Amino acid sequence: MSTLVLFLVLLGAAAGLAVVAVARLVRSSAPGTTADSADLAHLARWTSRWRWAGVAVGSLLAIWAASADSGALGLGRLAMAAPALCGIVILAATVIGEVSARPARTATRSASLSARRVKDTLPQPRSWIVAAGLGSLVATLVVGTLTASPDDQGRRGRALVATCLQNLPELGEVRVTTSSTPWPGSFYALPSAVLIALALGLTVVGVVTIRDRANPDATHSDVDLRLRAVATRKVVSALGATCYGTLGPTLLTMATVLSNADCINGNKVVTGMLVILGLACVLLAVIMLANVLLPDREPAVAHASHRSIDTLGTGS
């Protein structure tokens, strides 16, 4: 990844963090809903810890991928896939947390058998934003693949090649061919597409797992539904961070390559548009990631007193 692209990504990330910080400060005064359920409190803590573990491991993996340059995975392949790798780890950790969640050992336990639907917890506005990011990423990778050519070493799908007529001193009008790299063609797009498909699959598994997770306390079904909505929102946000985190650097890389392609008419205008869109995507990725990390307006689930141990209750 070039220095310019890295600088623009960091700039967008800083702006995104600032926006989210202000939004959280504004919302922090909103009152929460309390519920006296140790089971739900334990469930919220358990899944939150797994999400944070996923973010920690995924971030380390992304940092390694962005700085690695070895063999067939070099030349920026791993760097372009770094956001997708991070997102996959976060989604996998979230799914593990939901699957492995077990209720606390409370004195009395009841279970809810009410039917649940994914759309009851799916954040509709955010889901459309994430869908738009996924569609834009797919379209960008397709365009990059269709317009890419082999580079000077014969590696397919890595260069943007253009031919034009130019007036050169003492030579007159000559045909000139330019080749600029790294263009996100199939050389970069195929690994990223595989990882994004895996992230999408993990998102579906995560949302279904959250829907089917047992409610250990039927007396607080409203709180349980809200906790499911928060968990689903964070899974969707993780996918959004993965998509926009991959799309932003891809667009900025395209802008860098196009700025050097003198044979392409209007390249400066297109470059400017790609820079704006790329920074907007980086900003959205940071906001989505912050929504995964930072505390949401979850119901404040209070700790119930732990009375002596295990009873035979109804489970689901």
Side-chain angles (χ1 to χ4, degrees):
M1 186 180 293
S2 68
T3 303
L4 175 61
V5 171
L6 181 60
F7 171 76
L8 292 175
V9 169
L10 292 177
L11 180 63
L17 288 175
V19 169
V20 174
V22 172
R24 291 296 179 182
L25 286 174
V26 171
R27 295 174 61 185
S28 61
S29 59
T33 302
T34 61
D36 187 24
S37 172
D39 283 335
L40 292 177
H42 171 77
L43 192 62
R45 289 194 304 272
W46 178 263
T47 54
S48 178
R49 287 168 185 167
W50 272 100
R51 281 196 300 268
W52 272 98
V55 170
V57 175
S59 298
L60 291 175
L61 182 61
I63 292 172
W64 169 79
S67 58
D69 188 11
S70 58
L73 294 177
L75 299 174
R77 261 181 168 176
L78 274 176
M80 185 174 177
L85 288 172
C86 182
I88 286 172
V89 173
I90 295 172
L91 288 166
T94 300
V95 172
I96 293 173
E98 295 292 337
V99 171
S100 61
R102 295 292 182 271
R105 295 162 67 89
T106 56
T108 304
R109 184 173 303 149
S110 60
S112 171
L113 300 178
S114 58
R116 307 185 192 100
R117 298 174 299 177
V118 169
K119 70 176 184 178
D120 292 335
T121 57
L122 202 62
Q124 295 300 332
R126 190 173 309 185
S127 299
W128 284 112
I129 294 174
V130 173
L134 178 61
S136 298
L137 176 59
V138 171
T140 300
L141 295 180
V142 169
V143 169
T145 299
L146 294 177
T147 55
S149 300
D151 63 7
D152 55 358
Q153 299 296 317
R155 292 178 286 248
R156 293 183 178 181
R158 190 174 177 269
L160 179 65
V161 176
T163 302
C164 61
L165 296 176
Q166 293 185 358
N167 288 315
L168 300 180
E170 300 180 358
L171 295 178
E173 190 174 68
V174 297
R175 185 178 295 274
V176 176
T177 299
T178 61
S179 177
S180 303
T181 59
W183 183 254
S186 58
F187 186 84
Y188 300 101
L190 289 180
S192 294
V194 171
L195 293 175
I196 292 298
L198 180 57
L200 182 60
L202 283 172
T203 301
V204 174
V205 172
V207 170
V208 173
T209 301
I210 293 168
R211 181 200 65 184
D212 295 339
R213 184 183 69 199
N215 176 10
D217 188 352
T219 61
H220 295 104
S221 296
D222 56 336
V223 177
D224 174 70
L225 181 60
R226 285 167 136 187
L227 288 174
R228 292 178 197 275
V230 168
T232 303
R233 194 156 56 242
K234 290 184 181 296
V235 169
V236 173
S237 295
L239 178 62
T242 303
C243 294
Y244 284 107
T246 303
L247 179 59
T250 301
L251 293 175
L252 293 174
T253 300
M254 284 182 161
T256 302
V257 173
L258 279 173
S259 65
N260 299 320
D262 295 332
C263 275
I264 298 178
N265 294 327
N267 64 322
K268 303 302 180 185
V269 175
V270 176
T271 296
M273 294 174 61
L274 289 177
V275 168
I276 294 173
L277 291 174
L279 288 176
C281 289
V282 172
L283 180 64
L284 281 170
V286 174
I287 292 174
M288 293 282 184
L289 182 58
N291 276 280
V292 176
L293 287 174
L294 298 179
D296 211 319
R297 297 178 64 180
E298 303 184 19
V301 183
H303 296 272
S305 59
H306 286 249
R307 296 183 292 270
S308 56
I309 291 275
D310 226 9
T311 62
L312 294 176
T314 308
S316 69

